Amino acid sequence: MPTTLLIEMLDRVRRLSVPLLGAWLLSGCSTLDYYGQLARGQLALLYARQPVQKLIDDPAQAPELRQRLARTQEARAFASARLGLPDNGSYRVYADIQRPYVVWNLFATPEFSLQPQTHCFPVAGCVAYRGYYELGRARGAAALLGQEGLDTWVGGVEAYSTLGWFDDPLLNTMLRWDDDRLAALIFHELAHQRLYVPGDTAFNESFASFVEREGLRQWRASRGLASGDDAESERRDRLTRLVLDTRERLERLYASGLPIESMRQAKAEEFERLRRDYRAMRDRDWGGFNRYDAWVEGPMNNAKLLPFGLYDQWVPAFSALFRAAGGSWPAFYQRARELGELSQQKRTQALESLMANR
């Protein structure tokens, strides 16, 4: 993601997870080239890994790096001992990949639709993006799709999960975050290893986001700290609501049957309305807090709105499920797994029922 988008609101957007496996199951020159770059990127990442404890114990390493890594290992141990998350080599290794992002995700939609162009992968199922280890490749693919009349957006990814197929490393891209955000990421990505339903991104990300939030709350409580920055959480949620409201209005617009030029003008007006509403909220309610300005004021299209809502849609349902499980992580995971085994329709109905009764 461009540096102008390094804002906490979009941390979750930048953590869309997909395992990079199964290239041999697909054919075609362009497909082979795409999976070839994924395989090369993943192998380079694996090659760069080093045991975290070895770096912590090495006096030749920078003191700040050793201190940051030591704090991550406290959160990593808490994840398995207290949150019931996998106890494996993930986040017990470190890789400095010498770049600001590990992968760039490309999202695409038709000009007058919010339905994403989807891509199906072995293990992960179908997702609404494609990942590239090189920014130039992502931008090149976006340009080709743009020539076909699609809306596109490229966002940098600072971490992703291989769902336990490999020992996922801590990355230099992650260490610019503060300790809480880094601990939250570890909880989130390990939750994907705990439970993953192929093809249901909203379920997977909402599940992991709940584990992240509740895990962070318990992690802070274990150290005698308050729950966290409620004001920042409230600002993030309100911006998300503005974006989701914009999406709803755009969906109605695209279903209206207006002539193309009229629809195109109305689409631009909706994006400008989003900017106006954001500025009013920022100035009226946030005292000029402007961390999200660059994202809101930058170029807008359908694809840029796609990730919003994926991480939050079912979080209240999982919160209700956790309470129903008596706050027991093993019982919660078992009930969540049972939901994951349902058909898509029945799973959605169950989650809606949990939302209604929360």
Side-chain angles (χ1 to χ4, degrees):
M1 189 175 301
T3 55
T4 53
L5 295 182
L6 294 178
I7 54 176
E8 185 171 344
M9 170 61 216
L10 298 179
D11 284 347
R12 293 171 292 174
V13 173
R14 294 194 296 253
R15 297 207 301 270
L16 289 163
S17 307
V18 59
L20 305 177
L21 300 168
W24 61 87
L25 297 178
L26 297 157
S27 60
C29 293
S30 62
T31 298
L32 288 175
D33 178 69
Y34 172 72
Y35 276 87
Q37 64 90 24
L38 288 185
R40 290 190 298 273
Q42 179 64 38
L43 288 172
L45 187 64
L46 295 176
Y47 182 77
R49 296 178 305 176
Q50 301 180 69
V52 168
Q53 194 58 51
K54 180 180 178 181
L55 294 171
I56 293 172
D57 294 339
D58 182 1
Q61 299 296 326
E64 182 180 359
L65 174 63
R66 295 169 66 193
Q67 292 169 5
R68 292 300 313 279
L69 291 177
R71 287 194 290 271
T72 67
Q73 296 311 283
E74 295 174 4
R76 180 62 185 86
F78 183 88
S80 294
R82 300 285 295 277
L83 306 181
L85 292 170
D87 189 4
N88 55 28
S90 290
Y91 310 109
R92 292 185 169 115
V93 289
Y94 173 73
D96 185 345
I97 57 175
Q98 303 290 314
R99 59 180 186 267
Y101 301 103
V102 60
V103 171
W104 286 264
N105 280 344
L106 168 60
F107 298 83
T109 71
E111 182 181 5
F112 301 122
S113 172
L114 284 158
Q115 292 300 311
Q117 184 181 72
T118 58
H119 308 276
C120 297
F121 301 87
V123 182
C126 298
V127 295
Y129 54 89
R130 266 191 163 191
Y132 295 83
Y133 277 97
E134 298 174 18
L135 177 58
R137 283 180 175 270
R139 287 177 171 170
L144 291 175
L145 293 175
Q147 291 176 4
E148 297 176 13
L150 298 177
D151 282 7
T152 65
W153 183 65
V154 174
V157 177
E158 289 151 327
Y160 66 82
S161 173
T162 60
L163 308 183
W165 286 85
F166 302 105
D167 290 338
D168 294 322
L170 295 163
L171 299 169
N172 63 293
T173 59
M174 298 153 58
L175 292 188
R176 57 183 172 229
W177 300 350
D178 63 32
D179 290 343
D180 278 355
R181 289 164 70 189
L182 190 48
L185 168 67
I186 291 170
F187 303 156
H188 184 105
E189 298 301 347
L190 287 173
H192 283 310
Q193 294 187 20
R194 192 69 168 76
L195 175 62
Y196 186 90
V197 177
D200 194 338
T201 302
F203 178 90
N204 295 324
E205 297 301 344
S206 295
F207 167 77
S209 290
F210 170 76
V211 174
E212 167 190 327
R213 295 181 190 186
E214 178 60 22
L216 183 59
R217 186 193 68 78
Q218 293 187 17
W219 166 238
R220 290 183 61 86
S222 74
R223 295 178 294 151
L225 301 175
S227 60
D229 189 349
D230 292 336
E232 177 56 29
S233 178
E234 187 270 343
R235 287 190 291 263
R236 184 181 62 230
D237 290 346
R238 289 187 65 184
L239 177 59
T240 298
R241 186 68 259 165
L242 280 183
V243 173
L244 294 180
D245 287 345
T246 300
R247 280 175 34 168
E248 290 175 5
R249 292 194 300 270
L250 286 171
E251 286 174 345
R252 291 195 295 270
L253 170 65
Y254 298 152
S256 68
L258 284 175
I260 288 178
E261 286 305 319
S262 298
M263 192 174 296
R264 190 168 289 144
Q265 179 179 349
K267 174 184 176 181
E269 290 171 354
E270 285 296 346
F271 287 129
E272 189 54 39
R273 176 178 173 178
L274 169 61
R275 295 187 179 99
R276 288 197 308 270
D277 290 348
Y278 164 77
R279 294 174 197 138
M281 180 174 65
R282 177 198 63 196
D283 298 339
R284 180 187 65 243
D285 302 333
W286 296 353
F289 178 90
N290 64 359
R291 181 176 294 177
Y292 307 141
D293 281 15
W295 188 87
V296 174
E297 300 296 347
M300 283 281 182
N301 62 28
N302 297 328
K304 192 173 181 179
L305 306 187
L306 281 181
F308 283 83
L310 287 177
Y311 283 80
D312 303 308
Q313 181 176 353
W314 301 120
V315 168
F318 285 111
S319 180
L321 193 67
F322 188 72
R323 290 194 301 272
S328 164
W329 286 107
F332 167 73
Y333 292 138
Q334 177 58 35
R335 295 188 183 197
R337 185 170 300 279
E338 291 169 357
L339 285 177
E341 292 172 351
L342 298 175
S343 67
Q344 178 79 55
Q345 180 179 3
K346 290 184 177 179
R347 183 163 58 247
T348 298
Q349 291 172 347
L351 290 166
E352 289 174 343
S353 178
L354 285 165
M355 294 275 281
N357 296 323
R358 68 185 189 273

